[in-house]
Amino acid sequence: MTTQIGDIIDTTGTQKTAISGLLSDKQNRPNESCEQGKSCLLVKDASGKEHWYPIIDCSLNSFLNNVGTDTTFGGSYYGGYRITSAGQRACAASGANCSTNEWMRSFANGVVYGEARAVSISEQAEGTIVRLPNNVQAGNICVCRAKAYRVKNGNTYGERQTVTTDNWVVRGSLRDATDSDCVIDCAFDGDSQSGAGIDVPYYAYIANACSAPAPEAQMCTLYSFFDNVYNNGVIQPHHSAFYVSNSVSSGCGTGSYFAGNPHCSIAGSWIVDAVPSGQGGGSLGYIFGTSGYATIAPGTAVNSIVNLSASDMSSTGTAQHNAIVCMVQGYKASGDSSETTVTLNKALVVAVDDTNGFNDGDLNSPARYCMNAAATTYGMDWYHVLGTTCAAQ
C-alpha cells in the first residue's frame, strides 16, 4: 500500500510539471492565418505541416430563416412595388412603408423589402443564388435582392430592419427588361395569388451567416446590333446575296453591292444589308451567316427559332433531315472597321419536311431560303432573339 501511495504521489508530481509546461508553452494565437481575437482549429496535412483555421461564430436571423407562409398585406395582395411616388398593389396599402424602386413580399411572420436589377448574366434558372460581378452589363435577366424586413407581431409590424447581403436570387428572363420591370417581377407582379416559390429558400440562405458564399455570376455579352435591326425594321429586298459551290446570286456579282465580300465565296453562305424601314436612315450594316439541313423536333413550324449549333447542320440533305435552317455567324455595323463574329446557337427554321426528309442534295436551297428569310420581316423576331441572347464570356 505504501508503495502504491508513493507511485501516485510521483505520478501526480510528473503530471503537474507537464501541465505547467503546456501552460507556459501553448500557442494562444498562431502566426499562420489566425487573426487576433479569433479562435482557431489546428489541422495537420499529409506531410505533418500544421495549418490553423479560424473558427467562425455563426449567426442566424430567425425571421429570414422562417418567414412563414404567404399572407396578404392589407387584405388583398401578397406583394407590391413602388416605382415612383405611388405604391402599387400591396405597397398601396396603409402602412406598407415601401420605398421608391422597391418591391415587397408579405408573409405570416412579416414582410420583406428588396431591390431589383435587369442584368446580362448566363445564369437564368429561377431560384439560382449568385453574386453579381462589379461591371455586369444591363440585360434581360431579372435578379432580386432583399434589403430590409419588418417582423409581424399580431396585427402590427415592427420597424424596418436592414439586410446587408451581396447575394441575389434569379427571378428569370424577361423580354426587353428594365430595372423597373424587374422590381415588378420580383414582387411576383404583386397579384392576388399565393406563390412564395423561389424567395423563401433565398431568405433562409442569407439568414445564416455561415452559408457558403454564392458563386459569382458569369457575365455575358449582348449583341445590341441585332435588336437595333429588329427595332428599325428591314425592307425586302434591298441588298442581299447568297453563294454556293455551283451558283451565286447577283448580289455577289461583279459591280454588285457585295462584290468582293469574303462571304460571297463561302459555300452555303448568305448575306443581307440591314436597311431601316423606308430607307430614311441609311444602312445599319450587314448580317451574314450559313445555311444547311438539320433534324429538329417533329411538328416544328416554319419561322420557328430552335437551339442548334453549327455542328448540327449539314450541307447535304438526307432522309434523316427534316428541316432547312439558317444560322447567323456575325455582322458588320455601319461605321465598324471589321466584322463581329457571334456564336449564339439560335437557328431559324425556313423549311420543313416531316415526311420524306430533304434527300435531294440541292445545295442551292438552304442558302437561297436563308437569304430570302433574312431579308424580310420573317427574320425580325429572329434578330430580336439574337439581340437578347446571352453569349457567356
Side-chain angles (χ1 to χ4, degrees):
M1 177 65 72
T2 302
T3 302
Q4 291 177 336
I5 293 173
D7 289 343
I8 292 172
I9 293 172
D10 291 342
T11 301
T12 302
T14 301
Q15 290 175 339
K16 178 182 178 182
T17 302
I19 292 171
S20 297
L22 285 173
L23 289 172
S24 62
D25 297 335
K26 71 183 178 68
Q27 191 173 15
N28 293 317
R29 186 169 63 85
N31 293 327
E32 181 186 321
S33 301
C34 190
E35 299 175 5
Q36 186 171 3
K38 292 284 188 180
S39 298
C40 295
L41 176 67
L42 173 62
V43 178
K44 290 186 178 182
D45 61 23
S47 66
K49 183 178 179 181
E50 297 180 348
H51 300 277
W52 294 88
Y53 296 92
I55 299 173
I56 300 174
D57 295 326
C58 297
S59 62
L60 184 68
N61 184 297
S62 58
F63 167 72
L64 291 175
N65 191 52
N66 181 25
V67 295
T69 58
D70 287 353
T71 302
T72 60
F73 188 95
S76 299
Y77 298 105
Y78 293 88
Y81 52 91
R82 178 180 166 188
I83 304 301
T84 55
S85 59
Q88 302 295 323
R89 306 299 175 88
C91 282
S94 176
N97 199 26
C98 298
S99 299
T100 303
N101 294 321
E102 188 173 74
W103 53 264
M104 182 260 273
R105 287 293 297 172
S106 176
F107 302 95
N109 297 328
V111 293
V112 181
Y113 303 90
E115 59 185 326
R117 291 184 64 183
V119 295
S120 178
I121 58 176
S122 60
E123 289 79 2
Q124 299 186 32
E126 186 176 70
T128 303
I129 300 173
V130 296
R131 291 177 296 113
L132 297 181
N134 291 331
N135 55 342
V136 65
Q137 290 182 326
N140 64 333
I141 304 299
C142 286
V143 292
C144 322
R145 179 167 68 172
K147 57 186 288 190
Y149 64 89
R150 295 168 66 198
V151 177
K152 186 177 182 181
N153 183 12
N155 293 322
T156 63
Y157 292 84
E159 296 296 321
R160 284 175 63 119
Q161 305 296 319
T162 300
V163 174
T164 302
T165 180
D166 59 356
N167 296 316
W168 298 72
V169 61
V170 175
R171 171 65 176 144
S173 176
L174 191 65
R175 186 166 179 170
D176 299 325
T178 65
D179 288 349
S180 295
D181 294 329
C182 290
V183 168
I184 299 173
D185 206 43
C186 289
F188 295 176
D189 290 331
D191 60 16
S192 57
Q193 300 298 314
S194 176
I198 64 171
D199 52 356
V200 171
Y202 165 68
Y203 301 147
Y205 181 89
I206 64 175
N208 190 343
C210 287
S211 292
E216 184 172 283
Q218 185 176 18
M219 288 197 302
C220 55
T221 299
L222 294 178
Y223 296 101
S224 58
F225 172 81
F226 296 112
D227 233 14
N228 190 31
V229 173
Y230 166 78
N231 290 324
N232 283 279
V234 172
I235 63 169
Q236 186 271 333
H238 187 62
H239 298 120
S240 57
F242 69 90
Y243 179 84
V244 292
S245 57
N246 60 351
S247 178
V248 60
S249 69
S250 60
C252 279
T254 302
S256 66
Y257 188 79
F258 287 120
N261 189 289
H263 303 289
C264 285
S265 59
I266 301 174
S269 67
W270 55 268
I271 183 170
V272 57
D273 190 30
V275 179
S277 180
Q279 302 186 54
S283 173
L284 301 175
Y286 63 79
I287 300 170
F288 61 90
T290 189
S291 59
Y293 300 92
T295 302
I296 61 176
T300 303
V302 172
N303 297 327
S304 296
I305 300 164
V306 296
N307 294 321
L308 288 178
S309 65
S311 61
D312 296 320
M313 299 168 62
S314 172
S315 61
T316 304
T318 69
Q320 284 71 46
H321 297 129
N322 62 354
I324 292 177
V325 297
C326 315
M327 186 83 71
V328 166
Q329 295 176 309
Y331 64 90
K332 184 175 183 293
S334 178
D336 285 356
S337 59
S338 60
E339 294 178 343
T340 298
T341 58
V342 302
T343 304
L344 298 175
N345 297 332
K346 300 290 184 181
L348 177 66
V349 178
V350 290
V352 294
D353 183 347
D354 293 324
T355 304
N356 300 315
F358 289 98
N359 55 9
D360 56 8
D362 180 6
L363 293 181
N364 285 340
S365 297
R368 184 185 296 111
Y369 270 116
C370 291
M371 179 196 71
N372 289 336
T376 68
T377 55
Y378 293 122
M380 291 301 100
D381 283 343
W382 187 30
Y383 298 143
H384 183 63
V385 169
L386 295 175
T388 56
T389 294
C390 166
Q393 295 182 1

